Structures are given as structure tokens and as C-alpha cells.
Amino acid sequence: MKELLLGLRLLFGSGRGNRVRFALMTIGGSIGVCCLAIVLTIPGVLAAQDARVAARQPIDAPSSRVGSYPLWLERTDPYGSRPLTRIFMAGGTKTVEPPPGLQALPKPGEVFVSPRLHQALRAEPELAQRLPGREAGLIGAQGLARPEELVAYVGMSREQLTEGWPVSRFGKEYPPTTTVEPSTLDILRFTMACVVLLPLTVFLSVCARLSAAERARRLAALRLLGMSVKQVQRVNAAETVAAAGLGALLGLGEYWSLNQVVSRVGLPGFTWYPVDGALSGSTLFACLVGCPVLAWFVGRASARKAAANPLAVRRAAPEKSPSVWGLIPLLAGSGIAVGYCVAGVTGHAPRSTGLSALLIPSGAILIGVGLVATLPILCRFLARNVARSTRSLALGLAMRRNEAEPGGALRVAAGLVLLVFGASLAQGVLVQLDQVSNSTARVQLYDMPYAQLTTAQRRSRERLPETRTYLVTMNSARVGAAELAWSPLLLFATCAQLRNVVPWMGKCVDGRPLRLRDLEQPSGGMSDGGGKLLFKLDGGRRQVTFTAPQRTVQYRGQAELPLPDNGSILVPPSMLPRGTRPQDATLTLISGSDPKTVHKVLDSIGHVAPTVDLIPQGLDVTGLQQIAIIRTLLAVGMLLGLLIGAAAYVVAAIDRIVERRPQVTALTLLGARASTLRAVQVAQVVLPLAVGLVLAVAAGKMAESSYLVTGGGAIFWDGAGVPALLGCALGVVAVAAVGALPLVGRRIDPELIRRD
């Protein structure tokens, strides 16, 4: 206890410089704890949202009393690029507790909507056609997964809800679909661990080792005055633990304020309630106990040399060469990555297995740890060889300094190196998400009932800027044949419209019906022409009869097009009388399949006619929402990684400026010019950093490729991400070079070297 009190007395009684350093340690620790709290609360936010969705799920009534229980029917439709959940309910003779967020079950004609859907109804009143009834109130927060969720409870009579399921109560243990699937959540955890938690550990260690040289001299003096090794280590640990503890409290306060503000504003594609981001017991323990414990061990480790050999510290003896054992984590992690890359090259890519789920994260973490542990070894090796061969005074001074103190470059460069390594891994995750979200089809189809569209809506949809073309399909009937007899599918389109969506098409003449013949499919359908066909209009009140064509137009089609067989007939749109509507026809819009185009088309359709029953073929709107959430959380992780890397560099650079002032002053008094000293400082930082970044880019691409090999996608090698990664590395080098310049000032203060 005496050593702890002595450490605190030395902290507050040893001058303004130490107090400033303590404040810097505290502020840096608070930033780190705030980032740690953000990462640790993300799973809790997702779990809270899933719990509210599970709480509103119905539990089937017992079969013996089905007729007396309320009925329930849920439908999920796309609204733009977001899911709209409509829950239809009909009351029964037996009383049932309403689902969370409602005071009572909706009566026939009543509609309860979420706040975000309420805003959408005001902006687009036609959306109310999907919700038969009048708006009677809003759904409470306890009944919604997140603030922007689109949910409506629609009250109906039992006669209207014949397809409904009887429900006895609400509340299940698990939701039907989670906000983020478990496998995708594992990807998020892996990315956060590599992009945020690993740099965060380095950052907190850097904060705990501020002014390491000055503190080591002071601790060596205490050791020479008679303190034991353990007592000296406790004195040093007292200061780091005090800074870490105070920083943890400040960091939790910063997180609370940030959660209150950002949760109300929301992030693109993802919002949550402030209570979802409340700090759990495990998060509080990790921040309030884990960070001070880490600072305690770092403080004890940093005081080990001063306690074991105080004379060497006081006399500034040369440091020992870094141990080659530091290469083991990098070699082990690289071995795992190289093994998976070789498996991908040879065509033996392993799929999702338990072993890969363990090896890939372990390999990435080992590479990250190895990059940090390898920097001092590479720094000393590079410095020794360059200093022997160079004739430049500035470069020689810089390399000799790095050779004598390789740990200084480590503290400055470690955060930036891990930042580039994490950026490479994040690129791999984004590539895999693109493969999952992108449809393998070359085109995207959007089907909607033709009869539900007004003339203005149909014309607006046919002219959407992102769509390639549109087709109208409907079934025909043979004149005089039985009702269930086979009849060809009619495709109302011009030759130009069909040519826009097929890879190749032969000669086609507009203005007459033509039989369609796909050269890539076996022949089938109608064996000959000349038969009479008809199609009905305006609900069957009118019909158009025409002769089945004998002339054929050949094409090579795509499996995604609505042409089921070679018996289909291309009918010119002019055969549709003006002002009429085909019976049971489907309007199909066709666009590109890339996600941006699909989102734009869905949003445009929702704006033109939000109430139509839209069916995007092969498109899971709920899945798109999940991917949007993952992208947002990955962006948050990258932003936190950038903040941590920048903060680690700033803190280490400021500390280095303070520690190096005596040496810079001594060189100035010996006659060194300011330009030479600036070149020395830049070379001291830039050369080891450049080597570390090259290693980070190479190791990061290996780790990214090994991740993609096990992801099950078609892309193993992300060559498109290399220029962005190299640009990021060059930007980091430029920032580090600029940050090294303020170390050399214009004013000479001999007092800095008076004691030496």
C-alpha cells in the first residue's frame, strides 16, 4: 500500500510535465474504453431487438378450442428496399393479452402502425390501401425491433380473415428470423476483433507507457535508494492503474453520452433505442476491471528493466537486441493463411467447417500480434544495415538512433501498421458480403399484377430510368377447347423490348404475333399454327381472338426471363385495345442485378405505386436489410479502428517529442542544422513504418485471401482492393512524416540537458 501511495505522490508532486502526461494517459485511456464499450455492446443491441421481435410472435391455440381464439396472419412485403410487416388480426370470444406495444387487440377497421410507418403514410397517403381501415394509434417501442421498423396491426372480422391462425398468447423464446444471422454475426465478431480490439490493446499499452524513458530513470533512482524490485514495480503500476481507472470512468461517460445522441439520430440503415445500448455487467467489468488490470501488467513490465538493472538505466546503457522469438506469432499466422491460399489455388478450397472457423480468426490475430512483435526486430535489422552503408549524415544519425532504441519506432508505428492490416481484412469481409448480396442472375425481375395499376402508374413504371425494359405476360385460351386444356403464354412486347433482354435474337417483325423459339431449349409447346386463341380483358367482360402464328422468331434466352417454354407467343402491344386491361396479366420490369440498381428500382416503384403487390423475383428484402445493417456496423468498426490508430499515433508522437527534446537540443548545440535534424526525425519514423506497412499489406492480403477461400464465394483474390490499400498505406506514411517535423523547434533550451 505504501508503494501505491508513493506512486501517487510522485505523480502529483513531480512537476507540471508529469501531470500533463497523466492527463494524456487518462484521455487516451478514456477514448480506448469508449471504443471498447461500443464494440462490446453491439451484440447486446442486436439481442435486445431480437427479443422484442420474439415477444410479439404468436403461440398457436390448442386444437380443442380453436374457434374461440383470435386469428392471426402476418405478411411481409417490400416497401421500396425495406420490408413492410402487416399483421392482420380478428378477435374471438376468448380474451387474449395483446402483443407488446398495444393496449388492446385491434377491432375490425382499426389499424395500429409504427411511428416510422405513420410518417410514411403521411408522405404517401396511397400506402393506406395496403392497410384497410382507419389509423387508431401507434405501436409502442416495446413492440418494435428498432425505431425505423415498418409494422402495422390491422383489425379484421373473422369472416375476412379465413386464412388466419388461432393464437392463444404472444411471446416466444426466439424470433423467426434474427436481426443478424449467427453465421454473419460471427463474421462481424471476427472483423471487430481484428479491426478494433487488437489495435485497442496496442493503444492502451501505448498510453500506459508514456514517457517510458523518464519514468525508467526515476524508478531506477528509487531502486538505488533501497527499494526492492517488487516495490519499484508497484510504484510504477500505481500511476498507470490510476490513469487507467480514471480513463475507464471517463470513457464510460463518453459512451453513455454518445449512445444517447447517436441512438436518437441513427446510423444509415440501422437504428436502436437508447435502452438497447445500456452497459451490461460484463461490459462494465471489462472496462472498469479489465483495462486497469491490463495497465497494471504493462506498468510492471515497463518497470522490470529499471528495477533489475538501475545503473544501466541511469547511465543509458544500450538496449539488448529484441528476441527473435517475436517472429513466431507472425510465422504461425502466415503459415495458416498460406495453407488456405494454396488450397484455393489448387482447387481444394475447404468450405465452412468447425476447423476453419477456429483457424481463420486465430491466424488473423496471430498475424496482427506478430506484426507488432516483429517491428522492433525489423527496425534494428534495417537500421544496422542502412547505417553501415549510407554516407548521408541525416540518414546515418536516424538509423543509429533506431538501432539503439528500436522500441521508440514500435510505439509510433504499431497503431498505424495495424490500421492498414485491419483495412485489408475489412475489404475481404465486404467482398464476401457483395458475393452474398449480389444476385447471380444477369437481370432482376419485378412482377406485379397489371390490374392493380392505374394507367398513370403503369406509364410511370414503364419509364423508370433504371429499368432496361418491361414485359406484360398472361395466359391465353384455345377457342373451343376445354377449360383446363394447355394454352401458350402470351408475351406483350415489341421486338426492341425483347432484344433488350436476350443475348441474341434473329429476325423479328413488329405488328404481328410470332412464335418464340429458344435455341437453347428443346422444342415444345404448340406443334403447329393456325389454331384460334383468345385472351380476356376487363375482368372477362371483353375478349380478343386471333390466329396462332406459324412464323417463328428465334433467340437465345436467359433462364431468368418469364418465358417458360418454346410455345410462348410474342404479341404486339397494339393488339391491346386502348383503355382496357388484360385479365390476370403480370407486368414485369427488368433491370440490372447489381445491388445499387435494385435498390433504386425498388425505391422508384415504392414512390410511384406503394400499394401494389410487388414480387421481386429471387430477392429477399429482409436479407438486404440485414446486409445493410452489417455494412453499417462494419463501417462503425472501421471508423473506430481509424480513430484508435490515429489516437495511438498522436499519443505516441507527442510522447516521442517530449522524450527526444534533450537529444535534439544536444545535437543542436553541437552544430547540427535544423533541416538536418528534421530529416533525421522523419527518417527515424518513416523507414521502419514503411517496412512495417509493406509487411502489413502483404500479410493482410494473405489473411484476406484465406478468409475468402473459406467463405464459399467465387472470389478468392481481391485484386481490386490493392490500389485502395496501397493508397491508404501511402497516406499513413505521409501523415507520419508530417507528424515528425514538430519535434525540431526553433528555440534552444540548454536546461533540457543540464542534468546530463
Side-chain angles (χ1 to χ4, degrees):
M1 190 64 183
K2 292 181 180 180
E3 293 82 6
L4 300 179
L5 294 177
L6 177 60
L8 296 178
R9 290 183 63 184
L10 289 175
L11 169 63
F12 294 105
S14 54
R16 185 180 62 179
N18 281 332
R19 290 193 292 270
V20 171
R21 176 170 49 82
F22 179 80
L24 191 61
M25 293 170 63
T26 303
I27 294 174
S30 68
I31 295 175
V33 169
C34 181
C35 295
L36 177 62
I38 292 174
V39 174
L40 294 180
T41 52
I42 287 177
V45 171
L46 299 177
Q49 295 182 353
D50 292 338
R52 285 194 294 272
V53 174
R56 74 186 187 206
Q57 297 304 309
I59 296 179
D60 294 343
S63 57
S64 58
R65 302 182 62 185
V66 167
S68 59
Y69 283 95
L71 300 179
W72 160 287
L73 181 65
E74 181 174 338
R75 291 285 185 263
T76 300
D77 308 315
Y79 175 72
S81 57
R82 301 168 58 191
L84 168 61
T85 302
R86 298 178 296 168
I87 302 171
F88 301 92
M89 300 196 67
T93 58
K94 189 173 182 58
T95 303
V96 173
E97 287 292 327
L102 296 182
Q103 298 295 327
L105 296 179
K107 299 177 181 178
E110 291 184 343
V111 179
F112 292 89
V113 298
S114 62
R116 182 64 185 87
L117 183 55
H118 173 74
Q119 298 175 5
L121 287 170
R122 286 190 171 184
E124 301 182 33
E126 292 184 355
L127 180 59
Q129 297 182 29
R130 296 198 194 183
L131 310 171
R134 58 178 179 82
E135 185 177 328
L138 299 179
I139 303 172
Q142 62 271 29
L144 301 173
R146 60 195 69 88
E148 88 278 4
E149 190 178 20
L150 302 177
V151 180
Y153 287 92
V154 181
M156 305 184 74
S157 64
R158 297 183 71 89
E159 291 75 17
Q160 294 174 314
L161 200 60
T162 56
E163 299 180 358
W165 291 88
V167 55
S168 60
R169 57 189 175 91
F170 295 91
K172 290 185 177 180
E173 187 176 357
Y174 301 103
T177 57
T178 56
T179 303
V180 177
E181 293 182 357
S183 59
T184 309
L185 189 58
D186 291 338
I187 296 174
L188 182 63
R189 291 193 183 100
F190 161 71
T191 308
M192 289 295 183
C194 297
V195 176
V196 181
L197 296 183
L198 189 58
L200 180 61
T201 304
V202 174
F203 173 56
L204 294 177
S205 300
V206 168
C207 292
R209 285 182 54 82
L210 290 179
S211 298
E214 181 182 346
R215 292 162 66 189
R217 291 173 60 85
R218 188 176 62 192
L219 294 173
L222 293 176
R223 179 74 175 94
L224 292 173
L225 289 175
M227 278 192 171
S228 66
V229 174
K230 290 186 177 180
Q231 287 175 329
V232 170
Q233 290 178 331
R234 290 169 186 167
V235 169
N236 186 54
E239 181 178 359
T240 57
V241 170
L246 183 57
L249 292 175
L250 291 177
L252 293 178
E254 294 169 2
Y255 168 78
W256 183 86
S257 302
L258 193 65
N259 178 55
Q260 296 296 320
V261 174
V262 179
S263 63
R264 287 172 169 81
V265 176
L267 298 173
F270 184 60
T271 59
W272 67 96
Y273 293 105
V275 68
D276 295 344
L279 294 167
S280 63
S282 59
T283 302
L284 290 173
F285 179 82
C287 295
L288 294 178
V289 178
C291 292
V293 168
L294 174 64
W296 170 271
F297 284 105
V298 172
R300 287 177 60 89
S302 61
R304 184 179 297 114
K305 179 181 178 181
N309 195 353
L311 287 177
V313 173
R314 295 297 298 179
R315 295 174 181 176
E319 294 184 8
K320 293 182 179 180
S321 299
S323 174
V324 293
W325 292 103
L327 296 173
I328 291 180
L330 181 61
L331 294 177
S334 300
I336 295 174
V338 169
Y340 278 104
C341 291
V342 171
V345 170
T346 57
H348 299 85
R351 297 310 178 189
S352 298
T353 62
L355 183 61
S356 298
L358 175 64
L359 288 180
I360 294 299
S362 300
I365 293 175
L366 285 173
I367 290 176
V369 174
L371 288 174
V372 176
T374 306
L375 277 179
I377 303 174
L378 292 178
C379 180
R380 173 160 288 190
F381 176 80
L382 175 68
R384 181 183 294 114
N385 288 274
V386 173
R388 290 174 180 174
S389 59
T390 184
R391 295 185 178 181
S392 170
L393 175 62
L395 189 58
L397 287 174
M399 294 301 100
R400 289 304 181 186
R401 186 64 196 176
N402 281 347
E403 183 182 1
E405 189 188 0
L410 167 65
R411 285 184 289 162
V412 176
L416 300 178
V417 168
L418 287 179
L419 174 62
V420 174
F421 173 69
S424 179
L425 289 179
Q427 282 184 344
V429 175
L430 292 176
V431 169
Q432 186 186 25
L433 287 178
D434 285 338
Q435 294 184 83
V436 173
S437 60
N438 289 351
S439 174
T440 57
R442 289 171 288 181
V443 294
Q444 175 63 49
L445 307 183
Y446 313 85
D447 294 344
M448 59 206 76
Y450 194 95
Q452 292 185 8
L453 299 171
T454 64
T455 303
Q457 289 175 338
R458 177 174 51 79
R459 290 176 178 174
S460 298
R461 292 198 173 194
E462 293 169 356
R463 294 194 299 264
L464 291 180
E466 297 294 335
T467 56
R468 297 181 181 179
T469 188
Y470 67 93
L471 304 172
V472 178
T473 57
M474 66 176 297
N475 290 321
S476 66
R478 294 184 182 182
V479 177
E483 184 177 354
L484 299 179
W486 179 88
S487 58
L489 181 74
L490 303 183
L491 175 64
F492 292 87
T494 63
C495 295
Q497 288 176 298
L498 186 59
R499 186 173 283 110
N500 285 335
V501 294
V502 295
W504 177 87
M505 187 174 70
K507 184 177 180 181
C508 179
V509 179
D510 282 320
R512 65 179 65 177
L514 298 171
R515 293 180 61 186
L516 294 173
R517 172 77 171 92
D518 189 352
L519 299 179
E520 297 180 356
Q521 294 184 10
S523 60
M526 297 183 65
S527 58
D528 55 0
K532 292 293 185 179
L533 299 176
L534 64 87
F535 57 90
K536 298 180 180 180
L537 304 172
D538 297 336
R541 295 188 300 270
R542 299 180 58 182
Q543 64 183 28
V544 175
T545 304
F546 67 98
T547 302
Q550 295 183 348
R551 188 168 182 176
T552 301
V553 56
Q554 297 180 343
Y555 70 97
R556 288 188 176 90
Q558 303 178 130
E560 300 87 2
L561 291 180
L563 305 176
D565 52 52
N566 285 321
S568 302
I569 296 178
L570 180 66
V571 181
S574 58
M575 291 186 64
L576 287 174
R578 184 180 299 274
T580 61
R581 295 186 183 182
Q583 182 181 3
D584 299 328
T586 300
L587 173 64
T588 301
L589 300 181
I590 302 175
S591 75
S593 60
D594 59 286
K596 291 184 179 180
T597 300
V598 173
H599 280 217
K600 289 181 180 179
V601 172
L602 286 174
D603 290 337
S604 300
I605 293 175
H607 176 73
V608 173
T611 60
V612 73
D613 293 331
L614 175 64
I615 303 176
Q617 295 294 335
L619 181 62
D620 183 6
V621 183
T622 304
L624 288 179
Q625 178 180 253
Q626 180 179 144
I627 291 176
I629 292 175
I630 290 296
R631 289 182 182 276
T632 299
L633 295 178
L634 285 178
V636 171
M638 285 301 300
L639 183 61
L640 292 178
L642 177 61
L643 175 63
I644 293 170
Y649 170 73
V650 170
V651 169
I654 294 175
D655 180 53
R656 185 169 176 272
I657 288 174
V658 175
E659 281 194 349
R660 294 287 295 134
R661 287 173 64 192
Q663 288 80 11
V664 172
T665 301
L667 291 173
T668 304
L669 292 176
L670 290 175
R673 292 181 298 179
S675 59
T676 301
L677 293 178
R678 290 191 178 94
V680 170
Q681 303 308 322
V682 171
Q684 278 184 250
V685 175
V686 167
L687 285 183
L689 176 61
V691 174
L693 290 177
V694 171
L695 191 60
V697 170
K701 297 308 292 184
M702 282 194 306
E704 176 192 359
S705 297
S706 65
Y707 173 78
L708 291 176
V709 165
T710 59
I715 298 177
F716 289 172
W717 324 111
D718 177 28
V722 173
L725 200 61
L726 293 178
C728 177
L730 292 176
V732 165
V733 172
V735 170
V738 173
L741 295 178
L743 184 60
V744 181
R746 296 182 178 181
R747 188 173 64 87
I748 299 176
D749 186 8
E751 181 66 20
L752 293 171
I753 59 173
R754 180 179 62 84
R755 294 180 180 179
D756 292 337

